[in-house]
Amino acid sequence: MKNDITRREALALGVSVAALAATGASAQTASTIKAADVPAPKLAIEKGASLRMLRPVRFVQADEDVFRANAAKFSKETGVEVKVDFVGWEDINQQTAVTSNSGAGPDIIIGFSDAPHIYIDKLVELTDVADYLGKRYGGWLPLAQKYGKRNKSDAWIGLPFGATAGPLIYRKSVLQSIGFDKVPEDHAGILDLCQKLHKAGKPAGFALGNAKGDGNGFANWALWSHNASLLDEEGNVVINSKETIAALKWVKDIYPSFIAGTPSWNDVSNNRAYSSQEISLTANGVSLYFSLKNDPATKAIADDSEHQLLPKGLAKVSPMAGLTLNAMLFKHSQYPNAAKAFLQFMLEKDQYEPWLNANSGYWSQPLAAYAEAAVWSSDPKVKIFKDTMQSTYYDGYKGPISTATGAVSADYVLIQMCAAVATGASTPEAAAAEAEQRAKRYFRRQGR
Amino acid sequence: MSVTTLPSRGMALRQPGWIARLLDYKPFLIVMCLAPAIGLLTVFLTYPLGLGVWLAFTDTTIGQRGIFIGLENFQYLLKDPLWWNAVFYSVFYTGVATIGKFALGFWLALLLNNHFPLKSLLRAIVLLPWIVPTVLSALAFWWIYDPQFSIISYLLVDVLHIRSTNIDFLGTPWPARFSLIAANIWRGIPFVAISLLAGLQTISPSLYEAAMLDGASAWQRFRYITFPMMMPILAIVMTFSIIFTFTDFQLVYAITRGGPVNSTHLLATLAFQRGIAGGELGEGAAIAVSMIPFLVFATLFSYFGLARRKWQQGEAND
């Protein structure tokens, strides 16, 4: 780690340049983020402490570079060695499970959204750090509170670092050529648009395969925009409802207008189809836009692309949940104070703001004050991602988050329900009944 | 002046120590020699298998200890259409892929058994699909089957103009099922071909010479010499092939993850999906345990049905 720090320190200047190049925003400009003068919790860092952390692999290179530079800075200031390992998104759950069950391994793991709720008994409460950060930086945003706090409690079990969203991305020129300025907010309008896009040979495409991010994103949107949900407020499974049936009928109607093959799509399929101009409308994170923008061969596509929040349908606000990075501190850590101090350090303005800017909008802030970060004014097409964590929608909406809500998502229950109806393999009624049976199975055992 | 004492007769005939006597004791030696192997088998085979079987009778979830629930997991699976679907596809996948692998593998082995230029090089090339890591070949097939960028679709649509639209290999159940089977056959052929080639080379040429003197045709030589002589190795290779195919995981998980609409889930992928991704360790273990009867049946069938036929021992079949 010592060598690593030295190397990373040498890269520190380069990181700022990378952030500048990636975002178009200057990481060097004076910060406009306000930090309240709040006393920090007294964390006596254990003597000889060293930390090991696991987090999901970066989507934007600058994410990793700045994160490592910040960790190195912490080591330099406190003498606490921090080893950060990056693992694939699909592997983080398994590694967290092993760490949790064996009581050994990394001190800190940054998992996704509901992970702290799954391993709740094995985690150290982070309420002191979370309260301090909340008071200092304008308060935690709704999605951060939902995923960070224990259900029906003010105790923090995770510390959200940011969330990424999957709004619509579309080709402006193609929509205009068929008489649309943007994607309509109502279901009939969206259906009409997609049918016209299909007729024009530039169809829409939304993942209906076993895709963790995009597949679940589409299925949730289809349900939530029809006011359907997996759970009610008390945590009862209510997926087999008339709202769900209506959503599934709409999915069945709109599916023929999609490009062929969407039931086999995984999380990168729509990126590829959009980049190659096979489709003109899909839902995706900001990474697609940036990959198009940063490649001279595809810059014209980026210039012609617009983002839009997922249409509301029958919902009052855009029903879009953000995939959240959520840090967990395990009870088996020998240095819990050092770990808390590290998490707090990483979310302080001097470290967090450059990291947020370096991510080009891929991750959006969990703390309100960071809405003033330079990244959000760097490119008007990125601004839409700024309020991702203002969302009131989440995996398991409207009920309490539990292990089972994560399991339903991980087992693709809702995606398969939609795909079964879309492809004609099942009727809406049968598909909803099967999803209810599968979900109830998870909730019977894991809804605790 | 020195005094030398000669060893007494009693000392020369001293009895060996108890350690030496113990090491000369045959039953002890047997136990000592077998202990490391038994220990390794216990730790690395019996314990994981036993733990898996135990988990199948509990409601253990990731992050939570479970309790013994008897056959509840299995009762649920019997009512679960997805499990039945996985059973069906596992059997279908294994059956069709094994037939394909054996037909093509045997044919390839017969071809490679002939003398021709660059024989060693060609045999090495045949091994390539076996050498390539499964996930790598799965990714290659994933590209080949991509609904938008498939090389096959490109050839048929853009080069040969035989079709006007791309083939949707993985977007509908049956094409997806057969696409995976094709990938499995491609991957499995080298194992079958090289194993059978080794078997073919053990057959004495004098048998063929005698048959030719008797005027046997090529088909008759194959039917009455090659095939019977190959039966033992066919049985072994088929047994292994069935086990490998039935327990396949990587190809399916990397290409379809069980989709579309769960139509390509094998029992192994469903077990992983429920047990690890879904967190239901007990249920995942039960799905894995439910594979055991199929594997035992397939193994017994190929072993007793093919390897133990009496005519191989010079007797007529019953």
Side-chain angles (χ1 to χ4, degrees):
Chain A
M1 186 61 198
K2 290 257 188 258
N3 292 338
D4 201 30
I5 292 169
T6 308
R7 186 167 63 85
R8 294 296 168 188
E9 280 172 342
L11 281 172
L13 274 177
V15 163
S16 296
V17 175
L20 175 65
T23 62
S26 174
Q28 312 297 330
T29 49
S31 172
T32 56
I33 291 167
K34 291 182 178 63
D37 193 10
V38 179
K42 287 185 172 52
L43 297 165
I45 293 177
E46 297 85 354
K47 206 174 176 186
S50 65
L51 298 170
R52 205 184 137 208
M53 177 189 216
L54 210 62
R55 57 149 287 185
V57 73
R58 81 283 186 278
F59 237 93
V60 182
Q61 180 60 43
D63 171 356
E64 180 175 341
D65 292 341
V66 179
F67 200 91
R68 284 194 188 279
N70 285 341
K73 197 171 153 194
F74 176 78
S75 297
K76 196 176 176 185
E77 287 183 13
T78 62
V80 177
E81 281 191 21
V82 184
K83 185 177 187 309
V84 183
D85 291 318
F86 289 72
V87 296
W89 286 30
E90 298 292 342
D91 296 332
I92 200 87
N93 283 342
Q94 282 83 305
Q95 300 220 22
T96 310
V98 171
T99 298
S100 166
N101 275 12
S102 64
D107 304 86
I108 302 166
I109 294 183
I110 294 187
F112 288 118
S113 307
D114 50 9
H117 299 260
I118 299 173
Y119 307 105
I120 193 164
D121 297 338
K122 309 289 171 70
L123 301 179
V124 175
E125 260 194 35
L126 300 166
T127 310
D128 48 355
V129 175
D131 282 349
Y132 158 74
L133 290 166
K135 286 174 189 160
R136 186 162 163 78
Y137 295 109
W140 292 91
L141 297 179
L143 196 61
Q145 293 198 40
K146 195 72 200 174
Y147 281 135
K149 287 181 182 175
R150 182 191 281 264
N151 290 318
K152 296 175 183 170
S153 148
D154 281 329
W156 288 78
I157 50 173
L159 218 53
F161 266 61
T164 185
L168 296 179
I169 180 168
Y170 62 86
R171 293 293 299 272
K172 194 168 48 182
S173 64
V174 178
L175 259 67
Q176 284 171 347
S177 72
I178 56 167
F180 289 84
D181 282 333
K182 53 184 282 199
V183 179
E185 291 291 330
D186 63 308
H187 292 113
I190 302 164
L191 176 61
D192 181 42
L193 166 70
C194 288
Q195 286 171 338
K196 285 177 176 157
L197 286 174
H198 186 256
K199 210 171 178 179
K202 292 287 180 188
F206 294 90
L208 279 164
N210 289 351
K212 174 84 179 118
D214 294 329
N216 278 311
F218 176 73
N220 280 329
W221 170 47
L223 292 170
W224 295 340
S225 65
H226 283 86
N227 284 337
S229 64
L230 176 67
L231 303 171
D232 64 14
E233 285 81 354
E234 280 72 48
N236 302 306
V237 176
V238 292
I239 192 65
N240 191 4
S241 65
K242 65 179 192 310
E243 289 84 3
T244 300
I245 305 291
L248 293 176
K249 285 179 177 168
W250 180 75
V251 169
K252 188 174 178 62
D253 289 341
I254 203 169
Y255 171 71
S257 70
F258 290 175
I259 194 169
T262 52
S264 68
W265 273 13
N266 66 13
D267 276 319
V268 300
S269 302
N270 58 348
N271 299 43
R272 292 204 312 249
Y274 190 89
S275 303
S276 64
Q277 309 194 57
E278 297 275 329
I279 57 171
S280 58
L281 168 65
T282 189
N284 210 291
V286 77
S287 57
L288 172 57
Y289 169 69
F290 269 100
S291 69
L292 293 168
K293 183 181 170 181
N294 293 330
D295 184 348
T298 55
K299 189 171 181 306
I301 304 173
D303 292 342
D304 187 38
S305 294
E306 292 289 348
H307 287 114
Q308 182 182 328
L309 291 178
L310 295 179
K312 293 175 197 164
L314 303 177
K316 291 192 178 90
V317 295
S318 171
M320 186 171 67
L323 180 66
T324 302
L325 288 179
N326 214 347
M328 297 166 274
L329 169 56
F330 284 86
K331 282 179 182 168
H332 64 245
S333 171
Q334 291 181 308
Y335 312 110
N337 281 352
K340 280 186 181 182
F342 174 67
L343 292 172
Q344 179 186 312
F345 179 85
M346 297 294 270
L347 282 160
E348 292 278 14
K349 187 174 79 168
D350 290 348
Q351 288 68 244
Y352 191 80
E353 189 182 5
W355 181 73
L356 191 67
N357 287 336
N359 274 292
S360 315
Y362 194 79
W363 298 113
S364 70
Q365 69 284 340
L367 291 153
Y370 291 125
E372 301 305 318
V375 65
W376 303 126
S377 52
S378 62
D379 183 337
K381 292 181 182 178
V382 171
K383 195 175 180 181
I384 193 175
F385 293 87
K386 184 177 81 172
D387 294 325
T388 298
M389 297 201 81
Q390 292 280 12
S391 176
T392 50
Y393 286 86
Y394 54 90
D395 264 2
Y397 171 84
K398 308 173 189 171
I401 298 173
S402 66
T403 314
T405 55
V408 168
S409 163
D411 198 17
Y412 311 116
V413 173
L414 302 181
I415 304 172
Q416 295 301 337
M417 177 180 73
C418 292
V421 174
T423 58
S426 193
T427 62
E429 291 77 11
E434 188 186 328
E436 180 186 33
Q437 182 214 357
R438 289 175 65 188
K440 277 186 171 171
R441 174 84 172 162
Y442 281 119
F443 279 91
R444 188 168 72 84
R445 285 189 177 164
Q446 300 184 27
R448 51 195 176 193
Chain B
M1 185 181 168
S2 64
V3 178
T4 306
T5 308
L6 291 170
S8 69
R9 185 177 172 82
M11 281 178 75
L13 296 176
R14 183 191 289 166
Q15 290 295 311
W18 67 271
I19 295 177
R21 288 202 309 277
L22 190 63
L23 289 173
D24 280 343
Y25 183 54
K26 198 175 174 184
F28 176 77
L29 266 182
I30 291 171
V31 171
M32 282 291 288
C33 291
L34 283 178
I38 291 171
L40 285 173
L41 287 173
T42 305
V43 173
F44 294 110
L45 289 177
T46 313
Y47 173 72
L49 182 65
L51 181 63
V53 173
W54 164 251
L55 284 174
F57 294 96
T58 70
D59 64 355
T60 308
T61 58
I62 284 180
Q64 302 278 348
R65 285 188 184 279
I67 55 165
F68 182 78
I69 55 168
L71 293 170
E72 204 263 354
N73 283 326
F74 296 97
Q75 287 167 340
Y76 173 77
L77 290 178
L78 288 173
K79 290 183 285 184
D80 179 7
L82 276 185
W83 181 79
W84 281 108
N85 181 69
V87 169
F88 162 73
Y89 186 56
S90 297
V91 173
F92 185 79
Y93 181 83
T94 306
V96 177
T98 303
I99 291 169
K101 276 185 274 194
F102 269 77
L104 294 169
F106 204 178
W107 175 64
L108 202 55
L110 289 168
L111 288 179
L112 292 173
N113 198 34
N114 294 319
H115 294 289
F116 51 85
L118 302 174
K119 188 168 68 176
S120 301
L121 180 67
L122 279 169
R123 284 180 183 176
I125 290 172
V126 167
L127 267 178
L128 276 180
W130 187 251
I131 295 166
V132 175
T134 310
V135 169
L136 195 62
S137 49
L139 288 175
F141 272 98
W142 180 48
W143 271 106
I144 289 170
Y145 294 146
D146 189 281
Q148 274 79 50
F149 308 102
S150 162
I151 183 70
I152 300 172
S153 292
Y154 171 73
L155 284 173
L156 296 177
V157 176
D158 296 323
V159 178
L160 300 173
H161 305 292
I162 296 170
R163 287 176 59 93
S164 58
T165 56
N166 286 359
I167 301 172
D168 188 7
F169 288 101
L170 303 175
T172 48
W174 278 106
R177 285 170 177 152
F178 280 111
S179 298
L180 290 176
I181 288 170
N184 184 277
I185 289 174
W186 176 86
R187 172 144 182 83
I189 281 177
F191 171 70
V192 175
I194 297 296
S195 303
L196 296 188
L197 178 61
L200 283 172
Q201 293 187 337
T202 63
I203 301 174
S204 170
S206 62
L207 292 173
Y208 293 108
E209 287 163 12
M212 286 173 82
L213 287 174
D214 288 342
S217 65
W219 167 247
Q220 285 171 321
R221 292 198 297 277
F222 176 80
R223 170 72 182 83
Y224 295 107
I225 300 174
T226 308
F227 195 65
M229 295 297 287
M230 289 292 289
M231 282 307 272
I233 193 150
L234 270 171
I236 296 297
V237 175
M238 185 170 282
T239 304
F240 276 95
S241 178
I242 287 172
I243 291 169
F244 291 155
T245 312
F246 196 83
T247 57
D248 192 12
F249 175 85
Q250 296 178 78
L251 270 180
V252 173
Y253 202 74
I255 297 175
T256 67
R257 287 197 191 156
V261 202
N262 289 318
S263 59
T264 59
H265 260 309
L266 297 173
L267 285 166
T269 57
L270 188 67
F272 177 83
Q273 186 63 41
R274 295 270 175 89
I276 305 298
E280 287 279 353
L281 278 179
E283 194 173 310
I287 295 170
V289 167
S290 73
M291 296 165 74
I292 294 175
F294 294 98
L295 290 169
V296 169
F297 174 78
T299 307
L300 292 178
F301 172 78
S302 58
Y303 187 70
F304 286 105
L306 300 174
R308 288 287 180 87
R309 293 175 70 144
K310 287 181 179 175
W311 51 260
Q312 286 193 33
Q313 298 157 26
E315 298 173 38
N317 280 328
D318 290 330

